[in-house]
Amino acid sequence: MKILIYGTGGVGGYFGGRLAQAGHDVTFIARNAHLKAIKENGLRVNSINGDFVIQPAKATDDISEIETPDLVILGLKSWQIKDAAKKLKSIITEETMILPLQNGADNMEKLQEVISKKNVLAGLCKIYSKKEEPGLINHFYLEPEIIFGEMDNEKSDRALKLNEIFNDAGIKAMIPDDIYKAIWKKFAFIATVSGLGGLTRVGIGKMWQDDYLQEILKKTGLEIQAIAQAKGVDFNEEDVAQLFQFIRSQEMTTTASTQRDIMEGRPSELENFNGYIVEQGKKLGIETPVNEFIYRALLPMEKEARKS
């Protein structure tokens, strides 16, 4: 399969690397020093499942150089989706599948504002990984997984074929019965821990260990549940209990990528997480005071990060 990895960070670099390792024709979009290192030394992946190198690796920062792909995996941040979609329009056909794997609850909607609905799959991934240095991806925790499907939850031929391709490449993958429920379960975790983590600057386990902060985490999650249910998503009490259990199971020093972005002064997905919950709450008439405090407290830092 001809695959384009749009954004070769921790997510795109790992999954694209596995697909290239399995023999697929993979092209990576990267920039600056990262692109230079990949071209010179290949894409290096350090993983708890075994290190590997893709060399030579096809990489570019010029989308006009890319042949029409069968599959595009978006490894960008949520706020970059629309711009990427505009650029992709010039190289895709109606047969091209576009799979967003970034965090967030409305990535598919963002894509459909620019690209035909029939091109778009819904998806998410579970992985702890990051770009360690130019040309090097570090997968350091958790068995990587891709969860995806059609937006109408149909078990289509193309979805089943893609699921087979992922699994054959050593990527744990599945098509759930309800992709929206799956997306909101992942979104609820990241949005719950990331903002408060950005404020406290400690790991998830340390936040949960503190009784006061644990209560803040729970209130954040419950507000997210209220928004999900108001939007017709089956995010129920059992899902919330599982969310809190998963947060409880995290290591003391574990941090989410958005928290790391905030702590390191980089643009983050704050607007797409706590900001999104606040925005939806206002539209739906639902109070979200905890998410709003976290969002407003972090917003000045986010604005400063976006100036650079």
Side-chain angles (χ1 to χ4, degrees):
M1 177 173 277
K2 191 170 292 183
I3 300 169
L4 173 62
I5 303 297
Y6 202 127
T8 311
V11 170
Y14 179 83
F15 290 117
R18 288 295 183 196
L19 289 162
Q21 189 182 35
H24 294 283
D25 182 0
V26 179
T27 301
F28 300 90
I29 289 186
R31 296 181 302 156
N32 304 327
H34 193 40
L35 174 61
K36 184 174 184 289
I38 293 170
K39 284 186 170 183
E40 291 178 355
N41 305 309
L43 177 67
R44 296 174 292 144
V45 179
N46 289 348
S47 170
I48 58 174
N49 290 337
D51 302 346
F52 63 95
V53 180
I54 303 302
Q55 189 175 29
K58 293 172 63 176
T60 183
D61 59 1
D62 184 356
I63 200 164
S64 68
E65 296 178 355
I66 296 167
E67 296 180 31
T68 298
D70 302 306
L71 169 69
V72 179
I73 293 178
L74 295 178
L76 304 160
K77 299 294 186 181
S78 297
W79 77 84
Q80 298 170 312
I81 286 181
K82 283 187 186 178
D83 183 58
K86 290 173 185 176
K87 293 176 180 176
L88 285 168
K89 282 187 74 173
S90 65
I91 64 164
I92 64 172
T93 69
E94 62 181 20
E95 303 300 321
T96 302
M97 295 177 285
I98 301 178
L99 176 59
L101 292 183
Q102 44 281 118
N103 300 316
D106 63 340
N107 298 317
M108 301 86 66
E109 288 86 347
K110 289 190 181 85
L111 280 170
Q112 288 177 73
E113 290 179 26
V114 182
I115 287 174
S116 172
K117 181 177 180 179
K118 61 187 172 185
N119 289 112
V120 181
L121 295 170
L124 66 138
C125 68
K126 297 180 180 180
I127 186 173
Y128 281 88
S129 59
K130 61 181 179 178
K131 184 180 75 175
E132 191 73 49
E133 62 183 53
L136 175 63
I137 305 300
N138 182 16
H139 160 228
F140 54 90
Y141 179 61
L142 199 68
E143 179 65 29
E145 183 176 11
I146 291 177
I147 301 170
F148 74 102
E150 299 284 0
M151 287 188 294
D152 61 1
N153 285 313
E154 178 193 356
K155 298 293 196 299
S156 66
D157 289 341
R158 70 175 186 174
L160 293 170
K161 175 65 175 175
L162 188 54
N163 191 63
E164 182 181 340
I165 285 170
F166 286 147
N167 282 291
D168 287 347
I171 298 169
K172 182 181 178 184
M174 67 167 291
I175 303 172
D177 292 332
D178 186 345
I179 187 60
Y180 295 97
K181 182 184 181 79
I183 286 171
W184 273 83
K185 287 174 73 172
K186 167 73 181 298
F187 170 75
F189 168 68
I190 298 294
T192 296
V193 301
S194 292
L196 189 60
L199 288 174
T200 63
R201 312 245 155 177
V202 298
I204 298 169
K206 286 186 179 179
M207 289 191 291
W208 187 264
Q209 196 177 50
D210 182 283
D211 290 343
Y212 182 84
L213 295 177
Q214 182 184 129
E215 193 62 24
I216 296 296
L217 288 168
K218 288 180 176 178
K219 288 177 179 178
T220 305
L222 289 170
E223 289 179 5
I224 292 169
Q225 180 199 21
I227 297 297
Q229 290 185 331
K231 292 176 72 66
V233 179
D234 180 25
F235 189 63
N236 56 42
E237 284 69 25
E238 182 181 348
D239 297 319
V240 172
Q242 289 176 359
L243 165 65
F244 295 153
Q245 179 58 43
F246 186 63
I247 295 173
R248 184 185 298 119
S249 71
Q250 299 301 298
E251 301 286 341
M252 289 293 164
T253 58
T254 298
T255 55
S257 60
T258 293
Q259 176 180 345
R260 295 193 294 273
D261 287 338
I262 293 169
M263 290 170 61
E264 293 167 21
R266 295 191 296 262
S268 78
E269 291 177 302
L270 173 68
E271 201 70 51
N272 304 96
F273 292 174
N274 306 97
Y276 176 74
I277 292 301
V278 172
E279 175 197 29
Q280 292 299 305
K282 294 186 188 307
K283 286 182 179 178
L284 297 165
I286 297 172
E287 294 292 325
T288 58
V290 179
N291 276 275
E292 182 151 19
F293 172 77
I294 291 169
Y295 170 64
R296 296 293 179 187
L298 289 169
L299 190 56
M301 286 182 276
E302 183 69 20
K303 289 179 177 178
E304 285 297 313
R306 289 181 180 272
K307 286 181 181 177
S308 56

